[in-house]
PDB file of all heavy atoms in Angstrom:
ATOM      1  N   GLN T  39      27.256  -7.320   9.940  1.00 79.00           N
ATOM      2  CA  GLN T  39      26.065  -7.108  10.771  1.00 79.00           C
ATOM      3  C   GLN T  39      24.995  -6.255  10.083  1.00 79.00           C
ATOM      4  O   GLN T  39      23.912  -6.107  10.602  1.00 79.00           O
ATOM      5  CB  GLN T  39      26.438  -6.432  12.085  1.00 79.00           C
ATOM      6  CG  GLN T  39      27.043  -7.342  13.101  1.00 79.00           C
ATOM      7  CD  GLN T  39      27.189  -6.643  14.440  1.00 79.00           C
ATOM      8  OE1 GLN T  39      26.997  -5.439  14.570  1.00 79.00           O
ATOM      9  NE2 GLN T  39      27.539  -7.402  15.457  1.00 79.00           N
ATOM     10  N   LYS T  40      25.297  -5.706   8.936  1.00 77.00           N
ATOM     11  CA  LYS T  40      24.388  -4.746   8.321  1.00 77.00           C
ATOM     12  C   LYS T  40      23.074  -5.362   7.842  1.00 77.00           C
ATOM     13  O   LYS T  40      22.085  -4.657   7.677  1.00 77.00           O
ATOM     14  CB  LYS T  40      25.096  -4.005   7.201  1.00 77.00           C
ATOM     15  CG  LYS T  40      26.163  -3.089   7.776  1.00 77.00           C
ATOM     16  CD  LYS T  40      26.789  -2.202   6.760  1.00 77.00           C
ATOM     17  CE  LYS T  40      27.846  -1.364   7.480  1.00 77.00           C
ATOM     18  NZ  LYS T  40      28.140  -0.141   6.863  1.00 77.00           N
ATOM     19  N   GLU T  41      23.042  -6.680   7.654  1.00 86.00           N
ATOM     20  CA  GLU T  41      21.797  -7.294   7.239  1.00 86.00           C
ATOM     21  C   GLU T  41      20.716  -7.139   8.302  1.00 86.00           C
ATOM     22  O   GLU T  41      19.523  -7.251   8.014  1.00 86.00           O
ATOM     23  CB  GLU T  41      21.990  -8.770   6.895  1.00 86.00           C
ATOM     24  CG  GLU T  41      22.199  -9.653   8.113  1.00 86.00           C
ATOM     25  CD  GLU T  41      22.298 -11.129   7.758  1.00 86.00           C
ATOM     26  OE1 GLU T  41      21.767 -11.557   6.717  1.00 86.00           O
ATOM     27  OE2 GLU T  41      22.936 -11.845   8.526  1.00 86.00           O
ATOM     28  N   LYS T  42      21.119  -6.849   9.533  1.00 86.00           N
ATOM     29  CA  LYS T  42      20.123  -6.679  10.598  1.00 86.00           C
ATOM     30  C   LYS T  42      19.153  -5.538  10.280  1.00 86.00           C
ATOM     31  O   LYS T  42      18.008  -5.563  10.714  1.00 86.00           O
ATOM     32  CB  LYS T  42      20.791  -6.450  11.953  1.00 86.00           C
ATOM     33  CG  LYS T  42      21.412  -5.086  12.147  1.00 86.00           C
ATOM     34  CD  LYS T  42      22.033  -4.970  13.521  1.00 86.00           C
ATOM     35  CE  LYS T  42      22.687  -3.640  13.739  1.00 86.00           C
ATOM     36  NZ  LYS T  42      23.326  -3.573  15.059  1.00 86.00           N
ATOM     37  N   PHE T  43      19.592  -4.563   9.508  1.00 90.00           N
ATOM     38  CA  PHE T  43      18.728  -3.436   9.181  1.00 90.00           C
ATOM     39  C   PHE T  43      17.574  -3.842   8.274  1.00 90.00           C
ATOM     40  O   PHE T  43      16.539  -3.186   8.247  1.00 90.00           O
ATOM     41  CB  PHE T  43      19.542  -2.290   8.568  1.00 90.00           C
ATOM     42  CG  PHE T  43      20.521  -1.675   9.529  1.00 90.00           C
ATOM     43  CD1 PHE T  43      21.869  -1.772   9.315  1.00 90.00           C
ATOM     44  CD2 PHE T  43      20.085  -1.014  10.668  1.00 90.00           C
ATOM     45  CE1 PHE T  43      22.788  -1.203  10.194  1.00 90.00           C
ATOM     46  CE2 PHE T  43      20.981  -0.458  11.564  1.00 90.00           C
ATOM     47  CZ  PHE T  43      22.343  -0.557  11.330  1.00 90.00           C
ATOM     48  N   THR T  44      17.752  -4.915   7.520  1.00 91.00           N
ATOM     49  CA  THR T  44      16.660  -5.479   6.731  1.00 91.00           C
ATOM     50  C   THR T  44      15.864  -6.458   7.571  1.00 91.00           C
ATOM     51  O   THR T  44      14.635  -6.465   7.543  1.00 91.00           O
ATOM     52  CB  THR T  44      17.213  -6.177   5.476  1.00 91.00           C
ATOM     53  OG1 THR T  44      17.850  -5.199   4.648  1.00 91.00           O
ATOM     54  CG2 THR T  44      16.106  -6.831   4.677  1.00 91.00           C
ATOM     55  N   LEU T  45      16.559  -7.289   8.342  1.00 93.00           N
ATOM     56  CA  LEU T  45      15.895  -8.323   9.126  1.00 93.00           C
ATOM     57  C   LEU T  45      14.956  -7.762  10.192  1.00 93.00           C
ATOM     58  O   LEU T  45      13.930  -8.374  10.486  1.00 93.00           O
ATOM     59  CB  LEU T  45      16.941  -9.229   9.782  1.00 93.00           C
ATOM     60  CG  LEU T  45      17.765 -10.073   8.807  1.00 93.00           C
ATOM     61  CD1 LEU T  45      18.872 -10.814   9.558  1.00 93.00           C
ATOM     62  CD2 LEU T  45      16.880 -11.035   8.034  1.00 93.00           C
ATOM     63  N   ILE T  46      15.287  -6.610  10.772  1.00 93.00           N
ATOM     64  CA  ILE T  46      14.390  -6.055  11.789  1.00 93.00           C
ATOM     65  C   ILE T  46      13.026  -5.759  11.196  1.00 93.00           C
ATOM     66  O   ILE T  46      12.007  -5.890  11.870  1.00 93.00           O
ATOM     67  CB  ILE T  46      14.971  -4.815  12.500  1.00 93.00           C
ATOM     68  CG1 ILE T  46      15.224  -3.669  11.537  1.00 93.00           C
ATOM     69  CG2 ILE T  46      16.195  -5.175  13.316  1.00 93.00           C
ATOM     70  CD1 ILE T  46      15.603  -2.348  12.198  1.00 93.00           C
ATOM     71  N   PHE T  47      12.995  -5.369   9.933  1.00 94.00           N
ATOM     72  CA  PHE T  47      11.714  -5.134   9.269  1.00 94.00           C
ATOM     73  C   PHE T  47      11.021  -6.451   8.936  1.00 94.00           C
ATOM     74  O   PHE T  47       9.825  -6.602   9.173  1.00 94.00           O
ATOM     75  CB  PHE T  47      11.902  -4.297   8.004  1.00 94.00           C
ATOM     76  CG  PHE T  47      12.002  -2.840   8.280  1.00 94.00           C
ATOM     77  CD1 PHE T  47      13.232  -2.243   8.483  1.00 94.00           C
ATOM     78  CD2 PHE T  47      10.868  -2.051   8.357  1.00 94.00           C
ATOM     79  CE1 PHE T  47      13.330  -0.900   8.756  1.00 94.00           C
ATOM     80  CE2 PHE T  47      10.954  -0.703   8.636  1.00 94.00           C
ATOM     81  CZ  PHE T  47      12.185  -0.120   8.836  1.00 94.00           C
ATOM     82  N   GLU T  48      11.769  -7.378   8.376  1.00 95.00           N
ATOM     83  CA  GLU T  48      11.168  -8.646   7.972  1.00 95.00           C
ATOM     84  C   GLU T  48      10.577  -9.394   9.161  1.00 95.00           C
ATOM     85  O   GLU T  48       9.643 -10.172   8.999  1.00 95.00           O
ATOM     86  CB  GLU T  48      12.199  -9.519   7.249  1.00 95.00           C
ATOM     87  CG  GLU T  48      12.559  -8.947   5.887  1.00 95.00           C
ATOM     88  CD  GLU T  48      13.613  -9.759   5.152  1.00 95.00           C
ATOM     89  OE1 GLU T  48      14.109 -10.770   5.698  1.00 95.00           O
ATOM     90  OE2 GLU T  48      13.939  -9.357   4.023  1.00 95.00           O
ATOM     91  N   ASN T  49      11.107  -9.169  10.352  1.00 95.00           N
ATOM     92  CA  ASN T  49      10.601  -9.828  11.555  1.00 95.00           C
ATOM     93  C   ASN T  49       9.630  -8.952  12.346  1.00 95.00           C
ATOM     94  O   ASN T  49       9.246  -9.312  13.463  1.00 95.00           O
ATOM     95  CB  ASN T  49      11.768 -10.270  12.431  1.00 95.00           C
ATOM     96  CG  ASN T  49      12.555 -11.393  11.774  1.00 95.00           C
ATOM     97  OD1 ASN T  49      11.975 -12.372  11.332  1.00 95.00           O
ATOM     98  ND2 ASN T  49      13.849 -11.234  11.681  1.00 95.00           N
ATOM     99  N   SER T  50       9.222  -7.831  11.780  1.00 97.00           N
ATOM    100  CA  SER T  50       8.235  -6.967  12.416  1.00 97.00           C
ATOM    101  C   SER T  50       6.839  -7.331  11.924  1.00 97.00           C
ATOM    102  O   SER T  50       6.674  -7.933  10.861  1.00 97.00           O
ATOM    103  CB  SER T  50       8.526  -5.500  12.099  1.00 97.00           C
ATOM    104  OG  SER T  50       9.745  -5.103  12.666  1.00 97.00           O
ATOM    105  N   THR T  51       5.850  -6.943  12.682  1.00 97.00           N
ATOM    106  CA  THR T  51       4.468  -7.201  12.313  1.00 97.00           C
ATOM    107  C   THR T  51       3.995  -6.205  11.268  1.00 97.00           C
ATOM    108  O   THR T  51       3.413  -6.587  10.245  1.00 97.00           O
ATOM    109  CB  THR T  51       3.566  -7.129  13.559  1.00 97.00           C
ATOM    110  OG1 THR T  51       4.128  -7.944  14.593  1.00 97.00           O
ATOM    111  CG2 THR T  51       2.151  -7.608  13.232  1.00 97.00           C
ATOM    112  N   TRP T  52       4.223  -4.934  11.534  1.00 97.00           N
ATOM    113  CA  TRP T  52       3.827  -3.873  10.605  1.00 97.00           C
ATOM    114  C   TRP T  52       4.972  -2.878  10.499  1.00 97.00           C
ATOM    115  O   TRP T  52       5.748  -2.696  11.437  1.00 97.00           O
ATOM    116  CB  TRP T  52       2.594  -3.116  11.109  1.00 97.00           C
ATOM    117  CG  TRP T  52       1.381  -3.967  11.270  1.00 97.00           C
ATOM    118  CD1 TRP T  52       0.771  -4.733  10.300  1.00 97.00           C
ATOM    119  CD2 TRP T  52       0.624  -4.164  12.464  1.00 97.00           C
ATOM    120  NE1 TRP T  52      -0.314  -5.382  10.835  1.00 97.00           N
ATOM    121  CE2 TRP T  52      -0.439  -5.046  12.161  1.00 97.00           C
ATOM    122  CE3 TRP T  52       0.739  -3.674  13.753  1.00 97.00           C
ATOM    123  CZ2 TRP T  52      -1.377  -5.445  13.091  1.00 97.00           C
ATOM    124  CZ3 TRP T  52      -0.201  -4.069  14.693  1.00 97.00           C
ATOM    125  CH2 TRP T  52      -1.239  -4.943  14.363  1.00 97.00           C
ATOM    126  N   ALA T  53       5.027  -2.204   9.375  1.00 97.00           N
ATOM    127  CA  ALA T  53       6.021  -1.145   9.206  1.00 97.00           C
ATOM    128  C   ALA T  53       5.528  -0.172   8.138  1.00 97.00           C
ATOM    129  O   ALA T  53       4.830  -0.559   7.197  1.00 97.00           O
ATOM    130  CB  ALA T  53       7.370  -1.722   8.806  1.00 97.00           C
TER     131      ALA T  53
END
Side-chain angles (χ1 to χ4, degrees):
Q39 282 189 351
K40 291 187 181 205
E41 73 176 335
K42 74 180 179 182
F43 294 115
T44 297
L45 294 174
I46 62 171
F47 278 92
E48 290 178 359
N49 292 311
S50 295
T51 310
W52 299 303

